[in-house]
Amino acid sequence: MNNTTQKKSILSKDGVSYVVPFILITSCFALWGFANDITNPMVKAFSKIFRMSVTDGALVQVAFYGGYFAMAFPAAMFIRKYSYKAGILLGLGLYATGAFLFFPAMHIGSYYPFLIAYFILTCGLSFLETSSNPYILSMGTEETSTRRLNLAQSFNPMGSLLGMYVAMNFIQNRLHPMDTAGRSQLSAAEFEAMRDSDLSILIAPYLAIGIIVLVMLVLIRLTKMPKNADQSHDINFIPTLKRIFHIHHYREGVIAQFFYVGAQIMCWTFIIQYGTRLFMSQGMGEQEAEVLSQQYNIVAMVIFCVSRFVCTFMLRYLSPGLLLKILAIAGCVFTAGVIGFQNIWGMYCLVAVSACMSLMFPTIYGIALQGLGDDAKFGAAGLIMAILGGSVLPPLQAYIIDMHTLLGLPAVNVSFILPFICFVVIIIYGHRSYQREKRVLKDN
């Protein structure tokens, strides 16, 4: 089979091509990747700007991923009643609104208005992901759905890379270089002047992305998008929930997704704290150590992006469940290295974890939604609610990090026991999925 035929089989159904809708919706994957990964370094940035602990700074992740959790099922009911396109448009509108709210938050000069802005922004992301993921799955046959979603998700880390680059070069490098300890010695007036200057730097990228999101909203609004011919507009909320949560591979998929997202956010957020401790122990200043840590984070994202394409190719030859299991085992091995090493090898292991994570989100997603049909709209909402793992688990890790030393090791090293546990859960799900895939093949 030549490449052209393969592409048609992946992005067409019943002779109808979905190439243009696929490109437009895939662009949205990059947009929420940008939002996710410009935000992870903000835990450290807000901690410094407002002279807070790591635990308080981690409230950024609570607000960010709490919005995903709160809006997932309302988003599912909305798109069930209307359409995927309507859900995407509303999601883009909320995304832009949250981004623009950074401007009044800066003038208020308090931490909590930023948390509200993050919450509204991610309510929009919840609409986007709840709509876009099952929409991509529907753009072709069910046999190629997991490969198709992995292909679309391959563009998510491109947005993530841009978010990391912007965070490092347009925020972290431009904040005042005074470290957290030095800021604690400032007078109230000096602190307010430095805080306001730093906040004006921090909000600029969010205002810019708000404008870009509005442009995307108009573009999708003016484009004719395909409708799901068999879509039911009846909500039937409780019966549908009972039906889908009685499906083992779906119910277990929600649990696995909760732990996967928690692991991803912990590894990408606290690489800054991990690297800062490591490089400061070698004599670097705090800001220099933070910037170098973010450079390693960008390398991790490049590896994540490349690995996503490689793993998508490997799905031609390995079943999704088996590949998920193999990568989760590798994730456990590298995370053990992050905990045990107290030198640069620990950072290398932390970067390598990203290669293992690249396949996990879309593969868990695709496995969990197999066979759900129109119920996939609510099924998608449950999987988006599982993103709550990114809100619940990072504060627990931050609490451990604030202990400074634990069990004779730096607490930041010990804190990575939480991602290790997450990967163990994913190993179990991958194994059970692989066993189910073998049974299906045997029955056929």
Side-chain angles (χ1 to χ4, degrees), residues 350-365:
L350 187 47
V351 169
V353 169
S354 288
C356 305
M357 294 192 297
S358 65
L359 179 84
M360 292 180 181
F361 183 93
T363 302
I364 294 170
Y365 204 104

Side-chain angles (χ1 to χ4, degrees), residues 160-178:
S160 297
L161 273 172
L162 181 60
M164 288 182 175
Y165 177 83
V166 170
M168 182 177 71
N169 290 284
F170 294 92
I171 297 179
Q172 289 173 297
N173 280 351
R174 299 187 182 188
L175 296 179
H176 195 283
M178 183 176 289

Side-chain angles (χ1 to χ4, degrees), residues 177 179 274-296 344 347:
D179 61 21
Y274 189 91
T276 299
R277 185 212 65 80
L278 173 64
F279 298 129
M280 287 182 68
S281 71
Q282 298 173 354
M284 286 188 188
E286 183 178 19
Q287 186 174 37
E288 185 183 2
E290 288 175 13
V291 171
L292 182 56
S293 300
Q294 181 64 357
Q295 290 173 351
Y296 274 98
I344 194 62
M347 178 60 83

Side-chain angles (χ1 to χ4, degrees), residues 270-275 277-278 338-339 397 400-406 409-417:
F270 296 113
I271 190 173
I272 306 297
Q273 280 75 10
Y274 189 91
R277 185 212 65 80
L278 173 64
V338 174
I339 297 168
Q397 187 174 11
I400 296 173
I401 292 171
D402 279 334
M403 294 180 183
H404 302 297
T405 303
L406 189 63
L409 293 170
V412 68
N413 288 54
V414 178
S415 72
F416 280 88
I417 191 66

Side-chain angles (χ1 to χ4, degrees), residues 176-249:
H176 195 283
M178 183 176 289
D179 61 21
T180 306
R183 290 170 187 249
S184 299
Q185 307 302 317
L186 296 175
S187 67
E190 290 171 331
F191 166 68
E192 289 178 8
M194 186 177 294
R195 178 202 64 197
D196 292 346
S197 174
D198 283 347
L199 289 178
S200 67
I201 292 169
L202 185 146
I203 71 164
Y206 285 93
L207 299 180
I209 194 63
I211 294 171
I212 293 169
V213 169
L214 280 183
V215 171
M216 179 61 69
L217 187 155
V218 172
L219 182 61
I220 292 178
R221 174 66 183 85
L222 296 176
T223 302
K224 184 176 181 180
M225 304 288 284
K227 296 181 180 179
N228 221 10
D230 59 348
Q231 178 175 351
S232 169
H233 295 285
D234 296 328
I235 293 177
N236 297 321
F237 184 64
I238 300 301
T240 303
L241 285 189
K242 288 181 178 178
R243 187 163 58 247
I244 63 176
F245 275 99
H246 272 90
I247 301 171
H248 293 292
H249 67 269

Side-chain angles (χ1 to χ4, degrees), residues 7-332:
K7 290 179 182 178
K8 286 183 179 179
S9 66
I10 293 174
L11 299 177
S12 64
K13 185 178 181 180
D14 299 327
V16 179
S17 174
Y18 291 98
V19 173
V20 173
F22 181 87
I23 292 171
L24 288 172
I25 303 307
T26 296
S27 300
C28 294
F29 283 65
L31 287 175
W32 74 65
F34 178 92
N36 280 307
D37 287 280
I38 194 176
T39 301
N40 291 333
M42 294 305 101
V43 172
K44 181 68 174 178
F46 277 113
S47 296
K48 179 187 287 188
I49 291 170
F50 289 105
R51 301 187 298 195
M52 301 182 301
S53 67
V54 177
T55 303
D56 289 333
L59 289 176
V60 167
Q61 302 292 34
V62 174
F64 194 90
Y65 293 97
Y68 271 108
F69 176 81
M71 201 53 61
F73 276 114
M77 289 187 282
F78 182 86
I79 64 174
R80 180 75 168 248
K81 186 170 180 61
Y82 297 101
S83 66
Y84 288 126
K85 180 177 179 178
I88 289 167
L89 292 176
L90 182 55
L92 291 170
L94 288 170
Y95 185 165
T97 299
F100 291 138
L101 283 175
F102 273 67
F103 185 74
M106 178 197 69
H107 285 285
I108 295 171
S110 175
Y111 180 45
Y112 294 101
F114 285 98
L115 299 183
I116 294 171
Y118 274 123
F119 182 82
I120 293 172
L121 186 154
T122 52
C123 285
L125 300 188
S126 187
F127 266 90
L128 275 182
E129 293 209 37
T130 303
S131 304
S132 299
N133 284 294
Y135 202 6
I136 291 293
L137 289 173
S138 72
M139 292 182 185
T141 63
E142 185 168 339
E143 291 78 11
T144 60
S145 60
T146 301
R147 285 174 57 196
R148 189 163 49 253
L149 184 57
N150 270 279
L151 178 60
Q153 286 273 358
S154 297
F155 292 87
N156 175 265
M158 294 181 182
S160 297
L161 273 172
L162 181 60
M164 288 182 175
Y165 177 83
V166 170
M168 182 177 71
N169 290 284
F170 294 92
I171 297 179
Q172 289 173 297
N173 280 351
R174 299 187 182 188
L175 296 179
H176 195 283
M178 183 176 289
D179 61 21
T180 306
R183 290 170 187 249
S184 299
Q185 307 302 317
L186 296 175
S187 67
E190 290 171 331
F191 166 68
E192 289 178 8
M194 186 177 294
R195 178 202 64 197
D196 292 346
S197 174
D198 283 347
L199 289 178
S200 67
I201 292 169
L202 185 146
I203 71 164
Y206 285 93
L207 299 180
I209 194 63
I211 294 171
I212 293 169
V213 169
L214 280 183
V215 171
M216 179 61 69
L217 187 155
V218 172
L219 182 61
I220 292 178
R221 174 66 183 85
L222 296 176
T223 302
K224 184 176 181 180
M225 304 288 284
K227 296 181 180 179
N228 221 10
D230 59 348
Q231 178 175 351
S232 169
H233 295 285
D234 296 328
I235 293 177
N236 297 321
F237 184 64
I238 300 301
T240 303
L241 285 189
K242 288 181 178 178
R243 187 163 58 247
I244 63 176
F245 275 99
H246 272 90
I247 301 171
H248 293 292
H249 67 269
Y250 173 76
R251 183 173 66 245
E252 294 168 2
V254 171
I255 295 169
Q257 201 73 290
F258 176 92
F259 284 99
Y260 164 71
V261 175
Q264 175 187 292
I265 301 309
M266 287 187 286
C267 290
W268 289 350
T269 297
F270 296 113
I271 190 173
I272 306 297
Q273 280 75 10
Y274 189 91
T276 299
R277 185 212 65 80
L278 173 64
F279 298 129
M280 287 182 68
S281 71
Q282 298 173 354
M284 286 188 188
E286 183 178 19
Q287 186 174 37
E288 185 183 2
E290 288 175 13
V291 171
L292 182 56
S293 300
Q294 181 64 357
Q295 290 173 351
Y296 274 98
N297 205 8
I298 290 176
V299 172
M301 182 53 65
V302 172
I303 291 172
F304 180 91
C305 185
V306 172
S307 179
R308 176 68 63 79
F309 284 102
V310 172
C311 289
T312 300
F313 175 79
M314 290 174 67
L315 283 172
R316 294 181 177 184
Y317 308 103
L318 296 176
S319 72
L322 177 59
L323 191 53
L324 181 65
K325 176 183 174 181
I326 292 170
L327 291 175
I329 291 171
C332 279

